[in-house]
């Protein structure tokens, strides 16, 4: 089967260039929880085309990695043998997120730290950039617990955060250097 569809922005109604579209589906011979079967990026007109999709129910979801916009929920489309589906529109919007920096005791950025945001129902995570910055898309408003880890530092204590309607962008997670043992081991 073939999909020929577009991605639009909820706020402007305009077509979105450079959005990543993932197709997840079920293979009739396996119930594998909806594995990823294709991924494409919208072209200069905000359109995308996916070919070679097996018959069945396919769930389409769009994300813009640069600014965090994404589909609120996947769009489910049924596809028959050799069917071509057109006219499907995926709508994206600014997704709620938590962002900030991971730093050491001297406020120096820590690159490649693992940062997790956990809610009562799920969790998301990411790694910090070279400047210590992170951005974690979350499922929506609510209470989250943040923790950061790095092999050379002691893990941060759980940091409670309450997200309302707007993203939080100024979080600072401070890690302290792990104790190191320096010396020589001498056999008895």
């Amino acid at each position: 089967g073939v999909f020929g569809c577009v991605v639009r922005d909820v706020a402007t109604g305009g077509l979105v260039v450079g959005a990543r579209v993932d197709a997840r589906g079920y293979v009739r011979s396996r119930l594998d929880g909806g594995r990823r079967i294709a991924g494409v990026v919208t072209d200069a007109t905000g359109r995308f085309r996916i070919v070679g999709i097996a018959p069945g129910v396919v769930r389409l979801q769009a994300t813009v990695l640069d600014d965090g916009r994404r589909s609120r929920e996947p769009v489910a489309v049924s596809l028959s043998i050799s069917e071509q589906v057109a006219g499907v529109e995926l709508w994206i919007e600014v997704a709620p997120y938590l962002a900030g920096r991971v730093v050491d005791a001297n406020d120096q950025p820590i690159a490649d730290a693992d940062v997790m945001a956990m809610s009562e129902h799920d969790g998301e995570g990411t790694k910090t950039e070279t400047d210590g910055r992170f951005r974690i898309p979350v499922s929506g408003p609510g209470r989250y617990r943040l923790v950061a880890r790095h092999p050379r530092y002691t893990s941060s204590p759980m940091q409670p955060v309450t997200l309302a309607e707007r993203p939080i962008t100024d979080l600072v997670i401070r890690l302290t250097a792990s104790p190191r043992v320096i010396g020589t081991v001498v056999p008895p």
Side-chain angles (χ1 to χ4, degrees):
V2 177
F3 285 103
C5 310
V6 298
V7 175
R8 293 190 180 276
D9 186 279
V10 169
T12 66
L15 295 170
V16 179
V17 175
R20 174 153 187 89
V21 178
D22 285 312
R24 295 187 177 277
Y26 296 91
V27 176
R28 291 189 190 276
S29 62
R30 293 178 15 197
L31 292 177
D32 60 4
R35 69 180 176 86
R36 184 171 176 271
I37 54 177
V40 296
V41 175
T42 57
D43 63 18
T45 66
R47 300 180 190 320
F48 67 93
R49 182 176 164 93
I50 302 174
V51 298
I53 303 294
V57 176
V58 177
R59 287 172 178 75
L60 300 170
Q61 192 153 18
T63 306
V64 178
L65 298 178
D66 291 342
D67 62 18
R69 290 177 293 167
R70 67 180 183 190
S71 306
R72 184 170 286 208
E73 294 181 11
V75 172
V77 180
S78 291
L79 190 65
S80 301
I81 295 173
S82 300
E83 183 178 11
Q84 293 192 20
V85 175
V88 175
E89 293 184 345
L90 299 178
W91 290 84
I92 62 170
E93 59 189 331
V94 175
Y97 65 90
L98 301 171
R101 299 180 310 129
V102 176
V103 297
D104 66 13
N106 298 317
D107 283 331
Q108 295 301 305
I110 299 175
D112 295 321
D114 293 312
V115 183
M116 290 288 302
M118 294 164 282
S119 72
E120 188 176 305
H121 305 289
D122 62 4
E124 295 289 337
T126 190
K127 282 200 175 288
T128 57
E129 302 293 330
T130 56
D131 62 358
R133 296 198 176 278
F134 66 89
R135 180 181 175 140
I136 303 173
V138 293
S139 56
R143 288 194 245 170
Y144 293 88
R145 294 180 323 277
L146 275 128
V147 65
R149 295 185 174 101
H150 191 280
R152 290 182 289 172
Y153 296 86
T154 302
S155 295
S156 70
M158 290 284 188
Q159 182 175 332
V161 175
T162 301
L163 178 67
E165 291 300 317
R166 297 197 175 275
I168 298 175
T169 61
D170 59 353
L171 296 164
V172 176
I173 302 174
R174 196 169 316 281
L175 300 182
T176 56
S178 294
R180 293 187 286 170
V181 177
I182 300 174
T184 306
V185 176
V186 179

